[in-house]
Amino acid sequence: MYSGNLKVTLILAAAGVGKRMGLGYPKQFLEYREKPLFILPLEVAQKSEIIDEIIVVTNGENIELVRNHCEKYGIKKLTKIVAGGAERQNSIYNALKCDNESDIILVQDGVRPFFKERYIEECCKVVVEERAGAVIGVRVKDTIKVIDENFEVKSTPMRVNLIAVHTPQAFDGKLLKEAYERAERDGFLGTDDSSLVERIGGRVKIVLGDYDNIKITTQEDLRFL
């Protein structure tokens, strides 16, 4: 188990608009177990002895709604609610600019409701002991094909080397900020937080997670709730 006197902050990405869900409102406010989806990972962070502070990034028009929900459900570690940007990367960068010198920063999707305390512990342990970024992921079950724009198969990578990446993703705070700053300066848009760290030469390791750590993205995903 990770233990230490380092400052650890969780950034929760909850600025999606939910177009693919067709709900008419952002999917992070969809209720599960009588609570908005984004509250469930926050409750885990609130109970964790490792997490010191929480920053939530959401749509500008929903800041007060997020604040009200956090007050209702006792998310007392919340220090800031930040308006998001055009892309997820812009939103996380906005949150990072508001962080107060955290030693370790974890980034978590607001619509992954099955967040676990062990993810926090194991990711922080990798950051501290191995001086590497830590990303929760699971082994790919299906064979993956690489295709071109005409859907013609070009290659079949070895499945044993493939991981489906989830959140949380954890990093040294200064390294993550540097990665985001350089991506902003270079106009680079990555697919996740770790891709930005990898881009500047940072080491990233996988922490094996669970297949139930799903991201609610489409209506089909609701059957898992």
Side-chain angles (χ1 to χ4, degrees):
M1 176 179 175
Y2 162 82
S3 62
N5 56 2
L6 302 178
K7 180 181 177 182
V8 181
T9 294
L10 177 86
I11 293 175
L12 188 85
V17 295
K19 289 180 181 178
R20 284 177 284 181
M21 286 292 291
L23 294 173
Y25 58 89
K27 58 193 174 185
Q28 56 267 28
F29 297 107
L30 176 69
E31 292 207 351
Y32 175 61
R33 296 178 181 171
E34 301 182 343
K35 298 175 183 177
L37 282 177
F38 82 96
I39 287 293
L40 300 178
L42 289 183
E43 288 183 324
V44 175
Q46 176 62 39
K47 293 174 184 176
S48 173
E49 295 182 0
I50 296 173
I51 300 296
D52 298 303
E53 295 186 5
I54 295 169
I55 299 173
V56 175
V57 56
T58 192
N59 320 78
E61 64 271 21
N62 291 322
I63 287 177
E64 283 307 309
L65 179 59
V66 167
R67 192 185 313 280
N68 291 340
H69 280 308
C70 287
E71 290 177 358
K72 177 179 179 180
Y73 294 104
I75 311 302
K76 300 183 185 302
K77 293 180 183 178
L78 178 70
T79 56
K80 299 179 183 71
I81 304 174
V82 181
E87 302 285 347
R88 181 185 185 277
Q89 183 171 313
N90 307 126
S91 296
I92 300 302
Y93 189 40
N94 287 350
L96 288 172
K97 287 185 282 189
C98 294
D99 174 66
N100 186 20
E101 298 184 352
S102 294
D103 297 294
I104 300 175
I105 297 175
L106 295 92
V107 182
Q108 167 69 16
D109 292 324
V111 288
R112 285 191 192 272
F114 304 116
F115 188 44
K116 298 177 176 69
E117 169 68 14
R118 83 164 180 90
Y119 297 165
I120 300 172
E121 294 177 2
E122 294 181 23
C123 285
C124 287
K125 184 176 180 180
V126 168
V127 175
V128 172
E129 296 184 1
E130 303 194 44
R131 298 186 178 276
V135 174
I136 294 293
V138 294
R139 296 189 186 278
V140 171
K141 296 180 179 181
D142 299 318
T143 295
I144 303 298
K145 301 289 186 180
V146 178
I147 62 171
D148 64 14
E149 64 275 9
N150 297 315
F151 285 82
E152 182 175 341
V153 173
K154 292 302 179 183
S155 64
T156 305
M158 294 292 290
R159 187 169 58 194
V160 69
N161 296 324
L162 298 177
I163 291 288
V165 170
H166 297 171
T167 63
Q169 301 191 5
F171 309 90
D172 172 87
K174 290 182 181 178
L175 177 63
L176 185 60
K177 289 178 182 178
E178 180 186 355
Y180 265 86
E181 288 165 2
R182 287 173 61 174
E184 176 75 11
R185 186 170 64 244
D186 299 340
F188 176 81
L189 187 63
T191 55
D192 68 346
D193 309 287
S194 62
S195 66
L196 305 189
V197 173
E198 294 160 28
R199 179 175 176 267
I200 65 168
R203 294 174 58 237
V204 178
K205 295 198 66 173
I206 295 295
V207 174
L208 288 177
D210 305 290
Y211 289 100
D212 69 355
N213 186 31
I214 62 170
K215 183 178 181 181
I216 305 302
T217 304
T218 66
Q219 288 283 350
E220 288 76 13
D221 298 326
L222 297 177
R223 70 182 186 273
F224 296 107
L225 295 181

